[in-house]
Amino acid sequence: MALRLSSLPSLAFSPSRPSMSSTRLQHSHLNHSSARLRISSSHSTPFTALTTNTNTVADQPNSTPTSETFDWFSHWYPLALLRDLDKRAPKGLMVLGLDVVIWWDRVEGAWKVFNDRCPHRLAPLSEGRIDHKGRLQCVYHGWCFDSAGACKYIPQAPALGPPVHKNEKACIAVYPSIEQNGLLWFWPNSSPQYKDIMHKTKPPYIPELDDPSFVSILSTREVLYGYEALTENILDPSHVPYAHHGLMDLQKKEDPGRYASTASILNFIYQEGGIPIELTIEKSDISGFGAKQDGGYHKFIAPCVYYFSIYKDHSVRTSWNEPIIVNIILCIPVRPGKSRVISITAWNFATWADKFVPRWYFYTGANLVIDLDSDLFLLHAQEQTVASERISNWHSSCNVPTKSDAMIVAFRTWLRKYSNNQVNWGTKEFTPLPTASLPKEQLMNRYWSHVVHCKSCSRALRALKFIKVSLQVVSIALIGILAAANHSLTSNSTKTIAVIVAVLCFLASNWLSQFIYKTFYYQDYNHAIFRTSQSLFKRIVGGI
Ligand code: FES
Ligand SMILES: [Fe+2]
């Protein structure tokens, strides 16, 4: 059975929901009277309940900047999926314009996040190694650092000379970090005052990810457009039937006015899935906003978290046994023109799917949808146009007359009101975005944007390449053996079978080669000619 959700923004794969009818999803009652609270005291603040101070699309743009300013450097940011990190090797990433290196400190048994810059001559520590004492070592000249960022060893300094390694300038900035929900989060401020920040405030908590009755899929991908374009896209349910046309089997819903007009218009709706979407913004403030939709509730928790559930309050359900699916998308600013997405889908029904389908198989399907191949080029080009119009003009440059754009207007309004229309990149200066679009092959390259960061996909790629080469070897070996045994007593039927096997192996390796390229490297998405039958995602979901 295929995916069946109402028009949600870029939602990840969800298996069939046998006991939850689509009608239930469309018309769920946000009834909290029989509430059952399932939130631990240590995580008592996330996804705070939202009040009902209702704003409409029309009155959002009129809000003016306030004296309150959003502090981008005083929030937790998700860095990576814990299960994709390699304890043997440091890993470099950029978040909020900061180059950081993640490494496993086996002495303390914890992940550490450092400034990715050796204090000696600024080489990247992410190219380094973990030395025999478990310290982070810069491989340019061998300086070693402990878990507190203190320099412990300078090979070039005489052992009996002055202890130059103890100089403050030989230390590395350490960022606070915390593990939560299978993710490593970091606090982008290394000032000593934030050293214990993890004991005072925690990242937004997602209880479903630690709930044993749920299974979840987490995946990550880097995209070559900025945080603003990404967040807008995630908050935009109405683009799904168009930008992801043919990839998702969306629930069809009638628009009464159009239904009454002509049959041809009705057909139009049924074919494409575009419908009016009633979104009502509730309580927009510096922390984000919530939005009510028929059949669900959206939350934007600044700066990174988008959360969708059929319940307004994630910890309150009318029935604990009811099938639930939640979608969380983490939008991470990397630098202007680049961002990182972590998509999470958790559900508590048909959980067997998670046991039988390997992660990489989910991801190669999800890459087409949640990881945005099909609208990647649109957003990349749109971002350049928005930049050329001047970002401060967004509200006047765009025409957003319907309620389906309410969350986008709310987001842009939030950005204008609390952050001068843009991400604060701190002291880092970046060159302006290039005016020409990058080639699609570069924009939609799956290897560098996802596979290289994902253990499951990397392993699958290695295995499939091995199978491909093995098939070629078998094919060539069989032909060689046949040629060598041409005048021996080998029977005709044996020869025929050997030739057939050799040809089949050759064809299979050819097919596998194309599969590998499309799945792990690049597959174009042409909006004009894309057909549902091309959808790997659809085939995966349809098979479940
Ligand atoms: S640059 Fe790191 S040790 Fe020299
Ligand atoms: Fe999308």
Short mmCIF file of all heavy atoms in Angstrom, two decimals, residues 141-183:
data_model
loop_
_atom_site.label_atom_id
_atom_site.label_comp_id
_atom_site.label_asym_id
_atom_site.label_seq_id
_atom_site.Cartn_x
_atom_site.Cartn_y
_atom_site.Cartn_z
N HIS A 141 51.94 18.53 12.27
CA HIS A 141 53.22 18.48 13.00
C HIS A 141 53.12 17.70 14.30
O HIS A 141 54.04 17.71 15.10
CB HIS A 141 53.70 19.90 13.31
CG HIS A 141 53.76 20.79 12.10
ND1 HIS A 141 52.74 21.66 11.78
CD2 HIS A 141 54.69 20.91 11.11
CE1 HIS A 141 53.04 22.30 10.66
NE2 HIS A 141 54.21 21.86 10.22
N GLY A 142 51.96 17.06 14.52
CA GLY A 142 51.88 16.11 15.62
C GLY A 142 51.45 16.64 16.98
O GLY A 142 51.52 15.92 17.97
N TRP A 143 51.00 17.88 17.08
CA TRP A 143 50.54 18.37 18.38
C TRP A 143 49.36 17.51 18.85
O TRP A 143 48.51 17.11 18.03
CB TRP A 143 50.10 19.83 18.29
CG TRP A 143 51.21 20.82 18.07
CD1 TRP A 143 52.40 20.61 17.44
CD2 TRP A 143 51.22 22.19 18.50
NE1 TRP A 143 53.16 21.75 17.42
CE2 TRP A 143 52.45 22.76 18.07
CE3 TRP A 143 50.33 23.01 19.17
CZ2 TRP A 143 52.80 24.09 18.31
CZ3 TRP A 143 50.66 24.34 19.41
CH2 TRP A 143 51.89 24.87 18.99
N CYS A 144 49.27 17.29 20.17
CA CYS A 144 48.19 16.45 20.71
C CYS A 144 47.37 17.22 21.74
O CYS A 144 47.92 18.00 22.53
CB CYS A 144 48.78 15.20 21.38
SG CYS A 144 49.56 14.10 20.21
N PHE A 145 46.07 16.94 21.76
CA PHE A 145 45.15 17.68 22.63
C PHE A 145 44.26 16.72 23.40
O PHE A 145 43.81 15.70 22.87
CB PHE A 145 44.28 18.62 21.78
CG PHE A 145 45.10 19.51 20.90
CD1 PHE A 145 45.44 19.12 19.60
CD2 PHE A 145 45.57 20.73 21.36
CE1 PHE A 145 46.22 19.93 18.79
CE2 PHE A 145 46.35 21.55 20.55
CZ PHE A 145 46.68 21.15 19.26
N ASP A 146 44.00 17.07 24.66
CA ASP A 146 43.13 16.21 25.47
C ASP A 146 41.67 16.64 25.36
O ASP A 146 41.33 17.57 24.60
CB ASP A 146 43.61 16.16 26.93
CG ASP A 146 43.35 17.48 27.67
OD1 ASP A 146 42.72 18.39 27.09
OD2 ASP A 146 43.79 17.59 28.83
N SER A 147 40.81 16.00 26.15
CA SER A 147 39.37 16.23 26.02
C SER A 147 38.96 17.65 26.41
O SER A 147 37.88 18.10 26.03
CB SER A 147 38.61 15.23 26.89
OG SER A 147 39.04 15.36 28.23
N ALA A 148 39.81 18.34 27.17
CA ALA A 148 39.47 19.71 27.56
C ALA A 148 40.05 20.73 26.58
O ALA A 148 39.96 21.94 26.80
CB ALA A 148 39.99 19.99 28.97
N GLY A 149 40.69 20.24 25.51
CA GLY A 149 41.27 21.13 24.52
C GLY A 149 42.68 21.58 24.88
O GLY A 149 43.29 22.36 24.15
N ALA A 150 43.21 21.07 25.99
CA ALA A 150 44.56 21.47 26.41
C ALA A 150 45.60 20.75 25.56
O ALA A 150 45.45 19.56 25.25
CB ALA A 150 44.76 21.13 27.88
N CYS A 151 46.65 21.48 25.18
CA CYS A 151 47.72 20.85 24.41
C CYS A 151 48.58 20.02 25.36
O CYS A 151 49.06 20.51 26.39
CB CYS A 151 48.56 21.93 23.72
SG CYS A 151 49.86 21.22 22.71
N LYS A 152 48.77 18.76 25.04
CA LYS A 152 49.50 17.86 25.92
C LYS A 152 50.87 17.50 25.39
O LYS A 152 51.70 16.95 26.12
CB LYS A 152 48.67 16.57 26.13
CG LYS A 152 47.45 16.78 26.99
CD LYS A 152 47.90 17.21 28.37
CE LYS A 152 46.78 17.44 29.34
NZ LYS A 152 47.22 18.03 30.59
N TYR A 153 51.09 17.76 24.12
CA TYR A 153 52.36 17.30 23.55
C TYR A 153 52.68 18.09 22.29
O TYR A 153 51.85 18.22 21.39
CB TYR A 153 52.23 15.81 23.23
CG TYR A 153 53.47 15.18 22.63
CD1 TYR A 153 54.71 15.30 23.26
CD2 TYR A 153 53.38 14.44 21.45
CE1 TYR A 153 55.84 14.70 22.71
CE2 TYR A 153 54.51 13.84 20.90
CZ TYR A 153 55.74 13.98 21.53
OH TYR A 153 56.85 13.39 20.99
N ILE A 154 53.91 18.65 22.28
CA ILE A 154 54.43 19.29 21.07
C ILE A 154 55.73 18.58 20.73
O ILE A 154 56.74 18.76 21.43
CB ILE A 154 54.66 20.81 21.28
CG1 ILE A 154 53.33 21.50 21.59
CG2 ILE A 154 55.31 21.43 20.06
CD1 ILE A 154 53.45 23.00 21.84
N PRO A 155 55.74 17.73 19.72
CA PRO A 155 56.93 16.91 19.45
C PRO A 155 58.19 17.74 19.25
O PRO A 155 59.28 17.30 19.60
CB PRO A 155 56.56 16.17 18.16
CG PRO A 155 55.09 16.25 18.05
CD PRO A 155 54.66 17.48 18.75
N GLN A 156 58.04 18.95 18.72
CA GLN A 156 59.21 19.77 18.39
C GLN A 156 59.77 20.50 19.62
O GLN A 156 60.85 21.10 19.55
CB GLN A 156 58.83 20.80 17.31
CG GLN A 156 58.44 20.21 15.98
CD GLN A 156 57.02 19.65 15.95
OE1 GLN A 156 56.19 20.00 16.79
NE2 GLN A 156 56.75 18.75 15.01
N ALA A 157 59.04 20.49 20.74
CA ALA A 157 59.52 21.18 21.95
C ALA A 157 60.38 20.22 22.77
O ALA A 157 59.95 19.11 23.09
CB ALA A 157 58.33 21.66 22.77
N PRO A 158 61.63 20.63 23.13
CA PRO A 158 62.50 19.74 23.92
C PRO A 158 61.84 19.38 25.25
O PRO A 158 61.24 20.25 25.91
CB PRO A 158 63.76 20.59 24.15
CG PRO A 158 63.68 21.70 23.16
CD PRO A 158 62.25 21.92 22.85
N ALA A 159 61.96 18.14 25.64
CA ALA A 159 61.32 17.67 26.87
C ALA A 159 61.82 18.44 28.09
O ALA A 159 61.07 18.68 29.04
CB ALA A 159 61.58 16.18 27.05
N LEU A 160 63.08 18.86 28.05
CA LEU A 160 63.64 19.56 29.21
C LEU A 160 63.59 21.08 29.04
O LEU A 160 64.09 21.82 29.89
CB LEU A 160 65.08 19.10 29.45
CG LEU A 160 65.23 17.59 29.72
CD1 LEU A 160 66.70 17.20 29.89
CD2 LEU A 160 64.43 17.18 30.95
N GLY A 161 62.98 21.54 27.96
CA GLY A 161 62.89 22.98 27.72
C GLY A 161 61.65 23.56 28.38
O GLY A 161 60.95 22.89 29.15
N PRO A 162 61.36 24.83 28.10
CA PRO A 162 60.16 25.46 28.69
C PRO A 162 58.89 24.74 28.24
O PRO A 162 58.82 24.28 27.09
CB PRO A 162 60.21 26.90 28.16
CG PRO A 162 61.19 26.89 27.04
CD PRO A 162 62.11 25.73 27.23
N PRO A 163 57.89 24.64 29.12
CA PRO A 163 56.65 23.89 28.78
C PRO A 163 55.73 24.71 27.88
O PRO A 163 54.65 25.15 28.29
CB PRO A 163 56.03 23.63 30.15
CG PRO A 163 56.50 24.78 31.00
CD PRO A 163 57.84 25.20 30.48
N VAL A 164 56.15 24.92 26.64
CA VAL A 164 55.37 25.79 25.74
C VAL A 164 53.98 25.24 25.46
O VAL A 164 53.06 25.98 25.10
CB VAL A 164 56.12 26.02 24.40
CG1 VAL A 164 57.30 26.95 24.58
CG2 VAL A 164 56.56 24.69 23.79
N HIS A 165 53.81 23.95 25.65
CA HIS A 165 52.48 23.37 25.37
C HIS A 165 51.45 23.84 26.40
O HIS A 165 50.25 23.71 26.17
CB HIS A 165 52.57 21.84 25.36
CG HIS A 165 52.91 21.24 26.68
ND1 HIS A 165 54.20 21.18 27.16
CD2 HIS A 165 52.13 20.68 27.64
CE1 HIS A 165 54.21 20.60 28.34
NE2 HIS A 165 52.96 20.29 28.65
N LYS A 166 51.94 24.38 27.52
CA LYS A 166 50.98 24.81 28.55
C LYS A 166 50.48 26.24 28.31
O LYS A 166 49.59 26.71 29.01
CB LYS A 166 51.63 24.73 29.93
CG LYS A 166 51.85 23.29 30.38
CD LYS A 166 52.29 23.23 31.81
CE LYS A 166 52.41 21.77 32.25
NZ LYS A 166 53.08 21.65 33.55
N ASN A 167 51.05 26.89 27.33
CA ASN A 167 50.61 28.25 27.02
C ASN A 167 49.14 28.23 26.57
O ASN A 167 48.71 27.34 25.83
CB ASN A 167 51.48 28.81 25.89
CG ASN A 167 51.22 30.28 25.65
OD1 ASN A 167 50.09 30.69 25.45
ND2 ASN A 167 52.28 31.07 25.70
N GLU A 168 48.40 29.21 27.01
CA GLU A 168 46.97 29.28 26.68
C GLU A 168 46.74 29.28 25.16
O GLU A 168 45.75 28.74 24.66
CB GLU A 168 46.40 30.55 27.29
CG GLU A 168 44.90 30.53 27.45
CD GLU A 168 44.40 31.84 28.04
OE1 GLU A 168 45.00 32.30 29.03
OE2 GLU A 168 43.45 32.39 27.48
N LYS A 169 47.70 29.86 24.44
CA LYS A 169 47.54 29.94 22.98
C LYS A 169 47.70 28.59 22.29
O LYS A 169 47.46 28.46 21.10
CB LYS A 169 48.56 30.94 22.41
CG LYS A 169 48.17 32.39 22.67
CD LYS A 169 49.10 33.34 21.97
CE LYS A 169 48.81 33.36 20.47
NZ LYS A 169 49.69 34.33 19.78
N ALA A 170 48.14 27.60 23.05
CA ALA A 170 48.30 26.25 22.47
C ALA A 170 47.03 25.42 22.65
O ALA A 170 46.98 24.26 22.25
CB ALA A 170 49.48 25.54 23.12
N CYS A 171 46.01 26.01 23.29
CA CYS A 171 44.76 25.26 23.55
C CYS A 171 43.76 25.44 22.41
O CYS A 171 43.83 26.39 21.64
CB CYS A 171 44.10 25.73 24.84
SG CYS A 171 45.13 25.46 26.27
N ILE A 172 42.80 24.53 22.35
CA ILE A 172 41.73 24.62 21.34
C ILE A 172 40.42 24.96 22.02
O ILE A 172 40.15 24.50 23.14
CB ILE A 172 41.53 23.27 20.63
CG1 ILE A 172 42.85 22.73 20.12
CG2 ILE A 172 40.55 23.39 19.49
CD1 ILE A 172 42.71 21.36 19.51
N ALA A 173 39.59 25.73 21.32
CA ALA A 173 38.25 26.04 21.84
C ALA A 173 37.39 24.77 21.81
O ALA A 173 37.34 24.07 20.80
CB ALA A 173 37.61 27.13 20.99
N VAL A 174 36.73 24.50 22.93
CA VAL A 174 35.86 23.32 23.05
C VAL A 174 34.42 23.79 23.12
O VAL A 174 34.08 24.66 23.93
CB VAL A 174 36.20 22.51 24.32
CG1 VAL A 174 35.29 21.29 24.42
CG2 VAL A 174 37.66 22.10 24.32
N TYR A 175 33.57 23.22 22.28
CA TYR A 175 32.15 23.58 22.31
C TYR A 175 31.39 22.59 23.19
O TYR A 175 31.63 21.38 23.10
CB TYR A 175 31.56 23.56 20.90
CG TYR A 175 32.13 24.61 19.99
CD1 TYR A 175 33.03 24.27 18.98
CD2 TYR A 175 31.78 25.95 20.14
CE1 TYR A 175 33.56 25.24 18.14
CE2 TYR A 175 32.32 26.93 19.30
CZ TYR A 175 33.20 26.57 18.31
OH TYR A 175 33.73 27.53 17.49
N PRO A 176 30.46 23.08 24.01
CA PRO A 176 29.62 22.14 24.77
C PRO A 176 28.85 21.23 23.82
O PRO A 176 28.42 21.67 22.75
CB PRO A 176 28.67 23.07 25.53
CG PRO A 176 29.35 24.40 25.57
CD PRO A 176 30.13 24.48 24.29
N SER A 177 28.70 19.98 24.20
CA SER A 177 27.95 19.05 23.36
C SER A 177 27.15 18.09 24.23
O SER A 177 27.47 17.90 25.41
CB SER A 177 28.89 18.28 22.43
OG SER A 177 29.85 17.58 23.17
N ILE A 178 26.15 17.49 23.63
CA ILE A 178 25.28 16.58 24.38
C ILE A 178 24.68 15.56 23.41
O ILE A 178 24.42 15.89 22.24
CB ILE A 178 24.17 17.37 25.13
CG1 ILE A 178 23.38 16.48 26.07
CG2 ILE A 178 23.23 18.06 24.15
CD1 ILE A 178 22.42 17.24 26.97
N GLU A 179 24.49 14.35 23.90
CA GLU A 179 23.81 13.32 23.10
C GLU A 179 22.36 13.28 23.51
O GLU A 179 22.05 13.22 24.70
CB GLU A 179 24.44 11.95 23.34
CG GLU A 179 25.86 11.83 22.85
CD GLU A 179 26.48 10.49 23.19
OE1 GLU A 179 25.73 9.52 23.41
OE2 GLU A 179 27.72 10.42 23.26
N GLN A 180 21.49 13.31 22.54
CA GLN A 180 20.06 13.21 22.84
C GLN A 180 19.31 12.72 21.61
O GLN A 180 19.57 13.18 20.50
CB GLN A 180 19.52 14.58 23.27
CG GLN A 180 18.04 14.55 23.67
CD GLN A 180 17.54 15.89 24.18
OE1 GLN A 180 17.84 16.31 25.28
NE2 GLN A 180 16.77 16.57 23.35
N ASN A 181 18.40 11.77 21.82
CA ASN A 181 17.57 11.25 20.72
C ASN A 181 18.39 10.68 19.57
O ASN A 181 18.03 10.81 18.40
CB ASN A 181 16.66 12.35 20.16
CG ASN A 181 15.50 12.69 21.08
OD1 ASN A 181 15.13 13.84 21.21
ND2 ASN A 181 14.92 11.70 21.71
N GLY A 182 19.53 10.07 19.89
CA GLY A 182 20.35 9.48 18.83
C GLY A 182 21.11 10.50 18.02
O GLY A 182 21.66 10.18 16.96
N LEU A 183 21.14 11.74 18.49
CA LEU A 183 21.84 12.81 17.77
C LEU A 183 22.90 13.43 18.67
O LEU A 183 22.74 13.47 19.89
CB LEU A 183 20.86 13.91 17.35
CG LEU A 183 19.73 13.51 16.41
CD1 LEU A 183 18.64 14.57 16.41
CD2 LEU A 183 20.27 13.33 14.99
#
